[in-house]
Amino acid sequence: MNTLLIILAVVCALAGIVGAIVPVLPGPPIAWLAVLLLSFTPCSNDLTATFLIVTAVLAVVITVLDYLVPAWGTKRFGGTKAGTKGSTIGLLVAVFVLPVLGLTLGPFGLTSLLLGPFVGAYIGEVTQNTSSQQALRSAFGSFIGFLTGTFIKLVYAIVITVYVTKDIIQGL
């Protein structure tokens, strides 16, 4: 049973890294699942209850932030409320509507996910009679926000994978 849990923990850790980049998979929660699975094995030397709780809270916070950061980027780059709302709507359309319609662009819908907040912020700004240049600036902020969210998810997943790998090696 321990071997199965260790294998599943490694798979979840690696899937968490992939999920940090690929929009279809929720990277941080999957990576955290690796820690949880490993905690049920003798390899869980450093995996205390406090560690499990802190990493679970971080996974939830990072997952929520991943949806909020593109809107923050829009606002940070001078976008109005309309641009911020447009960025959020664009992200939601890219994540939930386009896949249902079979219209995802690029591998795993990555292009759709990159373009959704960008186009949404641009449209939101243009509807407020914002200059095209300012609308593009706001849309760029949305793109930067998306990249920031992806980076944070990736760092979390890699740190979790390092902990899992270290505990497995020490436990062998």
Side-chain angles (χ1 to χ4, degrees):
M1 186 63 155
N2 288 333
T3 304
L4 177 62
L5 289 174
I6 290 170
I7 290 170
L8 287 173
V10 169
V11 168
C12 285
L14 295 175
I17 291 173
V18 172
I21 300 167
V22 176
V24 179
L25 299 172
I30 293 173
W32 181 79
L33 187 57
V35 173
L36 181 64
L37 289 169
L38 196 62
S39 73
F40 294 111
T41 71
C43 294
S44 61
N45 298 328
D46 296 334
L47 304 178
T48 65
T50 303
F51 182 82
L52 288 170
I53 292 167
V54 168
T55 54
V57 169
L58 281 173
V60 169
V61 168
I62 290 169
T63 301
V64 169
L65 281 176
D66 188 44
Y67 291 98
L68 300 176
V69 171
W72 171 84
T74 301
K75 189 173 184 177
R76 180 88 171 113
F77 277 71
T80 64
K81 286 184 180 182
T84 303
K85 287 179 185 176
S87 173
T88 303
I89 291 168
L91 178 65
L92 293 174
V93 167
V95 170
F96 297 111
V97 177
L98 293 180
V100 171
L101 299 175
L103 299 174
T104 55
L105 304 172
F108 308 108
L110 187 58
T111 307
S112 299
L113 196 63
L114 290 171
L115 288 176
F118 183 89
V119 171
Y122 182 80
I123 291 170
E125 291 297 333
V126 169
T127 61
Q128 294 297 305
N129 297 323
T130 304
S131 72
S132 186
Q133 183 179 5
Q134 180 57 39
L136 280 174
R137 179 176 155 90
S138 298
F140 179 71
S142 173
F143 179 71
I144 294 298
F146 171 79
L147 291 180
T148 301
T150 300
F151 176 74
I152 292 169
K153 290 188 307 183
L154 188 59
V155 167
Y156 176 86
I158 289 171
V159 167
I160 292 295
T161 302
V162 167
Y163 269 96
V164 167
T165 303
K166 179 180 70 80
D167 276 5
I168 290 172
I169 290 171
Q170 286 178 350
L172 294 178

